[in-house]
Amino acid sequence: MVEEQAVDDHETKSEQERPQETQPCVTPDIEMKVPDLEVKQVTSEKPNYKLQYSLSGHTMSVSSLKFSPNGTMLVSAAADKLVKLWNAFTGEFIRTFEGHTQGISDVAWSGDSDYIASASDDKTIRIWSLETGSTAMTLNGHTSFVFCVNYNPNSNLLVSGGFDETVRVWDVARGRCLKVLPAHSDPVTAVGFNHDGTLVVSSAMDGLIRIWDAESGQCLKTLVDDDNPICSHVKWSPNSRFVLVSTQDSTIRLWNHQTSRCVKTYSGHVNRTYCIPACFTNVGSKCIVSGSEDAKIYIWDLQTREVLQILEGHRDVVLAVATHPTHNIIASAGMDKDLTVRLWRDSKPTS
Amino acid sequence: MNGSILSPFNVSHPTAIQTSLLDRASFAKFDPSGRYLATGKLDGSSSIWDLETRSTIRLLDGHVKAVTSVDWSRYSRYLLTSSRDWNVIIWDLASPFDPPQRHTTIRFDAPVVSASFHPRNSNIVLALLITGDAFVADLRKEHRSRTELCEVYDEADEGTKPRSAMTVARFDPTGKYIFIGTAAGSVLVFNSRTKAMVARHKISGAGTMRGFDFSKGGRRLVTNSSDRALRHFNLPIYPSPSPASDPPEYLDQELKPIYQFNDPINKTAWHTMSYSPEGQWLAGGAADHATHKIYIWDIVNDGQFVCTLDGGREPLIHLHWHPRKSVIASTTNQGNILIWHCPIPERWGAFAGGFEEVDENVEYHEREDEFDIEDEAETARRKMKREEEEVDIDGLDDAPMQQSTPVIPPKDDEDAAWADDEPDDDKPEWKMAIIMVEEDYL
């Protein structure tokens, strides 16, 4: 662990020394590491993720990670006001997007992997063009911190939520706000379109999950758990029949939104303070992946709800995780005692 | 998707204006997915509207005279515009520019009244000229040709009757046949592949044909004609052409309308008409000089008149029904487009979790054990047990929403095989690029 610390410090420094921007492609800023972790006992079916790369560059807590839909890139956003782009397979640093005046809480990819939208505490959302490397559009309208953002499947709309307790729908091409939904009575922690773009789900610190008709902006349903714990994240299942909800009672629940019933509960991790997202694995056996406040990453079996693997290595709360769309790769990052973005890979061939 | 949450009973025709789009359009047509609207204008340009953002996303400026018709390819990648400037332009919307790339320009010898794509292949174009002649332009390498569609006369009539001008030309939804309406009030049916006439239907009392619309499957046809009536027909099955016969045989049959719709009081004529996606309703746009009225008839219930929708003081000149939803786009003579929908009343109960709205007061009977205190361990165990059930997070329960509904022909269909030869690049997966408007331009 001591040795790793040294390596990280060095990497961070090199990142800072590097002349800022204007070099679209810089030398790889990565460190290939031999996984030095002990992995929990592994059977043939269990996932076997091992640390592949540690990427340094951010100088403050990393809040969000997303793989591009085409699978080639990873984007990271952090409290240091920067959005950074990495090669998803080699961990190579690609570029930094600079422009926000406050920390960033969330990022999202457009469907064609050509644009990135970032939600910031400076009350704006910026859309970054990968082609030009600069801001293509700035969306103004939120009256407080913007906390979450997502594209619709056609990528012509964006939905965002924030500390002004509203959910907003935006016209991407013109940067106009189309709808303001007075959605919740507390900060909105996550929003997202379903697979065909007809529904929007939102979660908030008021403990409610709401489902909205995307076209009319009408509330169609509210899901609420008995204890009403703070909802820190919500995500649609690939077929939009379920929503995966993380709450700050250290539990992740899978809800069938049609029957309003919780069908699965995942626990074992620690989540009492931060908004930590959970996600589905896209390849191989179906799993749920989430960060945790004990600096670990938990992987559960979707059906049995058993913890299959715990990834250890981070030295602070893991705030962000992302799963690769086509490969067994997990990206993770977290709070500022450990500023690395880590790429974990399960190299076992997928059946 | 949200159909499962919304009530399944509010399937209805549009009843109210949702929004109006300011354009200078002479008509507006939905694409097969229903996401876009294409308009044609008198100045020769066309625009494409994104209905989700309600803004124009492309401006197609290619003609020097009025645009007379537009048509979308089946997956909306290609858009055709026809114009009085004698040209038909095919635009490729997959190009990430605004205006998009011109794919092809086809020049005719007279102003083009209307043009359309073959439903299975956008390389085959049907065009009707102001002179009353209809042509099939085949742009494929192996089939490159331009064929005029000629009405066949009986030998006895040959030469005695003047040839009647063609006033409407449409492919049927299968693409197997071309339907032509004439100034003499007949409907002629041609085989798209052989261009041979397979049928002539005399419609008695109709006068000049003004317009056609087909139901989705292509089995039903509604015609608009100069006698100010809309006629709804069930189409017969046409025999496959026998190549040996000379002169070519064709079906000569008078077609009797199942329903005939007209305005008995004002005797208004009709500009256009459009079937609803499932063919349950028919909407007719009245050619009234002072009002904007859409008449709705219920085809399933004996063609009953249902209601008129009043769109205000700007007279209607065109209407088109959305390909999938209960939505109509009607164009006013000022060039504005009204989008009609069927509003869903807001359910305030949806804001409260586990709350159910009832129409009337219901006396609540509590279950015997409703407030019994259950052992917590027992509750947890029961919950765990319930969670044993497998969940499917990938499978889609509702049938995949197809962009359009191509009519599936039998396997050995010669006409379909002909149309599918040298296919175009119109694939379901393509996506229209989002072009961001420069910030300082706004």
Side-chain angles (χ1 to χ4, degrees):
Chain A
M1 282 301 156
V2 173
E3 179 198 309
E4 197 183 319
Q5 177 80 52
V7 168
D8 282 341
D9 284 346
H10 167 73
E11 286 299 315
T12 310
K13 234 174 273 160
S14 73
E15 168 69 22
Q16 284 168 333
E17 283 159 12
R18 208 172 38 71
Q20 286 292 315
E21 296 345 290
T22 65
Q23 288 164 283
C25 235
V26 296
T27 45
D29 191 18
I30 54 143
E31 169 80 350
M32 174 129 184
K33 286 185 76 90
V34 182
D36 55 349
L37 305 156
E38 100 184 54
V39 177
K40 302 273 155 172
Q41 56 169 35
V42 173
T43 64
S44 57
E45 301 97 45
K46 285 195 174 176
N48 183 18
Y49 283 92
K50 288 182 179 155
L51 180 65
Q52 201 179 19
Y53 301 113
S54 289
L55 322 174
S56 305
H58 283 292
T59 54
M60 288 171 83
S61 302
V62 179
S63 53
S64 183
L65 291 169
K66 297 281 166 71
F67 282 103
S68 63
N70 64 13
T72 59
M73 291 167 282
L74 173 74
V75 68
S76 62
D80 60 8
K81 310 167 197 174
L82 302 178
V83 174
K84 286 182 186 280
L85 199 60
W86 316 84
N87 183 311
F89 299 110
T90 64
E92 212 172 320
F93 171 79
I94 300 171
R95 74 158 27 125
T96 301
F97 297 99
E98 204 177 343
H100 277 299
T101 56
Q102 295 290 327
I104 303 165
S105 296
D106 198 13
V107 279
W109 283 95
S110 70
D112 52 11
S113 304
D114 284 342
Y115 296 94
I116 296 165
S118 59
S120 163
D121 285 356
D122 64 10
K123 307 178 192 173
T124 67
I125 297 157
R126 276 177 189 256
I127 300 173
W128 307 91
S129 161
L130 264 62
E131 197 189 347
T132 65
S134 59
T135 307
M137 191 71 79
T138 307
L139 310 180
N140 293 294
H142 275 288
T143 56
S144 186
F145 313 143
V146 193
F147 197 72
C148 46
V149 67
N150 258 312
Y151 273 96
N152 75 339
N154 296 320
S155 299
N156 59 341
L157 299 177
L158 269 173
V159 64
S160 65
F163 275 58
D164 60 4
E165 300 166 10
T166 63
V167 165
R168 287 173 196 247
V169 180
W170 305 85
D171 173 353
V172 171
R174 285 168 188 262
R176 285 184 307 160
C177 180
L178 296 174
K179 283 189 193 81
V180 183
L181 311 178
H184 292 276
S185 54
D186 269 313
V188 179
T189 53
V191 277
F193 281 99
N194 71 334
H195 76 279
D196 65 1
T198 54
L199 299 175
V200 169
V201 68
S202 66
S203 70
M205 292 194 182
D206 58 11
L208 303 177
I209 307 292
R210 291 213 159 108
I211 294 172
W212 309 84
D213 181 66
E215 197 195 334
S216 66
Q218 290 179 358
C219 179
L220 299 176
K221 194 153 218 170
T222 299
L223 304 175
V224 59
D225 196 55
D226 295 339
D227 309 328
N228 213 22
I230 289 176
C231 291
S232 44
H233 191 74
V234 65
K235 189 183 178 69
W236 291 99
S237 71
N239 62 3
S240 307
R241 220 188 289 175
F242 303 94
V243 287
L244 187 66
V245 180
S246 309
T247 47
Q248 290 181 11
D249 56 352
S250 297
T251 311
I252 298 167
R253 293 181 178 85
L254 188 67
W255 288 81
N256 180 330
H257 69 80
Q258 280 162 32
T259 59
S260 302
R261 265 185 40 189
C262 169
V263 292
K264 299 280 178 191
T265 308
Y266 308 93
S267 55
H269 66 308
V270 185
N271 181 12
R272 306 228 163 252
T273 319
Y274 299 102
C275 288
I276 300 179
C279 42
F280 298 95
T281 56
N282 303 303
V283 271
S285 57
K286 296 283 166 227
C287 299
I288 306 284
V289 184
S290 175
S292 168
E293 286 162 17
D294 59 8
K296 296 171 188 165
I297 297 147
Y298 287 74
I299 304 173
W300 293 267
D301 183 296
L302 170 78
Q303 305 294 359
T304 67
R305 293 155 287 140
E306 277 169 46
V307 175
L308 297 180
Q309 195 184 355
I310 298 173
L311 307 179
E312 294 180 47
H314 279 290
R315 292 187 308 279
D316 204 344
V317 174
V318 178
L319 279 184
V321 288
T323 50
H324 193 276
T326 53
H327 286 71
N328 277 319
I329 304 175
I330 293 174
S332 65
M335 300 278 287
D336 46 13
K337 264 187 258 165
D338 177 0
L339 291 166
T340 56
V341 173
R342 294 177 187 230
L343 286 172
W344 312 77
R345 193 164 185 150
D346 185 351
S347 47
K348 147 188 89 188
T350 52
S351 50
Chain B
M1 185 69 213
N2 49 2
S4 49
I5 294 189
L6 298 170
S7 161
F9 299 110
N10 46 36
V11 180
S12 180
H13 57 79
T15 52
I17 297 172
Q18 182 184 33
T19 185
S20 61
L21 311 175
L22 305 183
D23 202 311
R24 283 164 293 114
S26 357
F27 55 87
K29 211 175 154 193
F30 290 105
D31 82 310
S33 74
R35 285 184 54 202
Y36 307 113
L37 201 59
T39 66
K41 300 177 218 187
L42 289 175
D43 66 2
S45 66
S46 291
S47 19
I48 298 177
W49 289 80
D50 182 333
L51 290 167
E52 280 178 323
T53 61
R54 284 179 204 153
S55 54
T56 49
I57 50 169
R58 298 285 192 279
L59 183 67
L60 317 176
D61 204 354
H63 295 287
V64 295
K65 283 189 174 167
V67 176
T68 51
S69 75
V70 297
D71 194 28
W72 293 90
S73 65
R74 62 204 177 288
Y75 298 116
S76 315
R77 172 166 173 178
Y78 300 104
L79 183 78
L80 162 160
T81 53
S82 71
S83 163
R84 290 192 185 281
D85 69 0
W86 302 15
N87 287 335
V88 169
I89 301 178
I90 298 172
W91 307 85
D92 184 357
L93 302 179
S95 63
F97 311 107
D98 183 26
Q101 232 157 34
R102 278 191 204 204
H103 184 257
T104 315
T105 305
I106 314 169
R107 187 156 178 85
F108 290 91
D109 303 328
V112 186
V113 177
S114 79
S116 51
F117 286 125
H118 187 286
R120 301 179 69 88
N121 195 330
S122 65
N123 288 321
I124 307 167
V125 172
L126 169 68
L128 178 70
L129 307 186
I130 206 160
T131 53
D133 307 308
F135 290 90
V136 177
D138 201 325
L139 308 171
R140 297 174 295 177
K141 273 201 189 73
E142 293 293 312
H143 302 268
R144 192 169 290 272
S145 61
R146 187 179 292 191
T147 317
E148 186 175 356
L149 298 175
C150 300
E151 186 175 355
V152 180
Y153 296 94
D154 291 335
E155 270 171 44
D157 294 343
E158 199 85 59
T160 58
K161 276 208 297 197
R163 156 189 171 283
S164 58
M166 297 177 178
T167 50
V168 188
R170 286 280 303 263
F171 280 107
D172 81 328
T174 63
K176 200 172 161 80
Y177 301 108
I178 295 167
F179 282 69
I180 301 280
T182 69
S186 357
V187 175
L188 311 176
V189 186
F190 291 84
N191 181 292
S192 310
R193 177 173 54 93
T194 63
K195 279 86 176 173
M197 190 169 101
V198 293
R200 170 169 35 223
H201 301 298
K202 188 88 192 111
I203 313 292
S204 63
T208 303
M209 285 294 160
R210 289 263 166 83
F212 290 163
D213 191 39
F214 292 92
S215 65
K216 218 179 222 172
R219 302 299 320 142
R220 291 160 170 185
L221 168 73
V222 59
T223 64
N224 181 19
S225 49
S226 60
D227 69 338
R228 309 184 163 207
L230 302 180
R231 290 177 173 80
H232 166 89
F233 300 98
N234 284 346
L235 292 172
I237 305 227
Y238 299 104
S240 43
S242 46
S245 62
D246 189 55
E249 286 171 18
Y250 60 88
L251 183 75
D252 202 342
Q253 181 190 28
E254 189 171 328
L255 216 50
K256 284 264 186 298
I258 307 293
Y259 305 121
Q260 186 165 334
F261 308 106
N262 46 23
D263 177 357
I265 302 152
N266 299 319
K267 295 258 181 277
T268 46
W270 306 99
H271 273 308
T272 40
M273 63 282 161
S274 189
Y275 281 112
S276 68
E278 303 308 321
Q280 187 190 354
W281 315 95
L282 177 70
D288 190 305
H289 296 297
T291 62
H292 189 106
K293 284 216 160 76
I294 300 171
Y295 288 63
I296 309 251
W297 294 278
D298 188 342
I299 299 288
V300 177
N301 288 316
D302 306 326
Q304 252 173 37
F305 167 72
V306 182
C307 68
T308 49
L309 306 178
D310 190 344
R313 259 181 287 172
E314 293 178 11
L316 174 146
I317 51 172
H318 188 265
L319 72 80
H320 188 221
W321 201 305
H322 190 284
R324 291 218 295 249
K325 287 196 280 191
S326 186
V327 169
I328 290 176
S330 68
T331 311
T332 74
N333 70 344
Q334 303 297 306
N336 299 323
I337 303 149
L338 308 182
I339 307 289
W340 299 79
H341 75 148
C342 182
I344 300 153
E346 184 128 26
R347 288 186 302 121
W348 298 105
F351 278 94
F355 185 85
E356 206 179 314
E357 254 177 290
V358 287
D359 294 329
E360 278 178 57
N361 283 335
V362 177
E363 199 164 323
Y364 186 74
H365 297 285
E366 72 185 61
R367 283 193 327 275
E368 184 58 39
D369 57 348
E370 187 163 349
F371 295 104
D372 289 3
I373 293 163
E374 198 181 9
D375 183 25
E376 263 180 47
E378 179 62 31
T379 318
R381 199 172 319 130
R382 199 158 43 86
K383 215 169 165 184
M384 286 299 279
K385 182 121 200 206
R386 210 172 56 195
E387 290 189 8
E388 292 297 314
E389 208 174 301
E390 293 245 321
V391 292
D392 175 14
I393 60 162
D394 285 317
L396 293 171
D397 43 1
D398 39 27
M401 277 266 211
Q402 275 187 311
Q403 289 246 320
S404 62
T405 321
V407 184
I408 295 145
K411 278 218 171 67
D412 53 345
D413 191 320
E414 213 178 337
D415 297 312
W418 168 79
D420 292 342
D421 192 25
E422 284 185 54
D424 54 21
D425 292 322
D426 188 22
K427 302 276 157 29
E429 318 81 64
W430 89 275
K431 284 206 169 171
M432 183 104 73
I434 308 298
I435 296 176
M436 297 211 210
V437 183
E438 299 282 325
E439 276 187 73
D440 48 321
Y441 176 78
L442 283 172

